[in-house]
């Protein structure tokens, strides 16, 4: 006959403040991700504004030659600026 010895691990108490620490770390992670998302959105908006300004400058140059194309370019710049 064979004997098997099974050791049961001792119960370990949860450290004091562990739940509070986890909640704080999760809150910091969420705040950091929201900050990064907001900064990325702001950068994208600034980029769209700069690109629209370049298109408007080209449209002003084009206005003397072909006003209809210039009007289309102005409209395209407005749409691009809105996203």
């Amino acid at each position: 006959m064979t004997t098997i010895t099974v050791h049961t691990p001792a119960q370990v108490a949860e450290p004091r403040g562990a739940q509070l620490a986890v909640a704080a770390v999760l809150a910091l992670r969420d705040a950091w991700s929201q900050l990064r998302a907001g900064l990325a959105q702001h950068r994208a908006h600034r980029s769209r504004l700069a690109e629209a300004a370049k298109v408007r400058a080209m449209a002003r140059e084009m206005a003397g030659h072909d006003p209809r194309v210039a009007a289309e370019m102005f409209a395209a710049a407005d749409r691009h600026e809105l996203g």
Side-chain angles (χ1 to χ4, degrees):
M1 184 173 207
T2 305
T3 306
I4 298 176
T5 305
V6 177
H7 296 283
T8 57
Q11 291 286 335
V12 178
E14 185 176 279
R16 283 181 292 186
Q19 290 179 351
L20 181 63
V22 168
V25 168
L26 291 177
L28 283 173
R29 183 194 65 181
D30 292 343
W32 178 253
S33 67
Q34 287 177 356
L35 176 67
R36 288 183 53 155
L39 289 174
Q41 185 179 11
H42 181 69
R43 265 184 261 126
H45 179 67
R46 299 279 298 186
S47 176
R48 283 195 312 270
L49 289 177
E51 291 167 351
K54 288 179 184 177
V55 171
R56 285 188 183 103
M58 288 190 304
R60 279 187 216 96
E61 292 175 9
M62 180 73 69
H65 304 292
D66 193 349
R68 287 183 292 174
V69 172
E72 289 292 329
M73 291 174 76
F74 280 121
D78 291 341
R79 287 190 304 270
H80 183 67
E81 196 173 78
L82 295 176

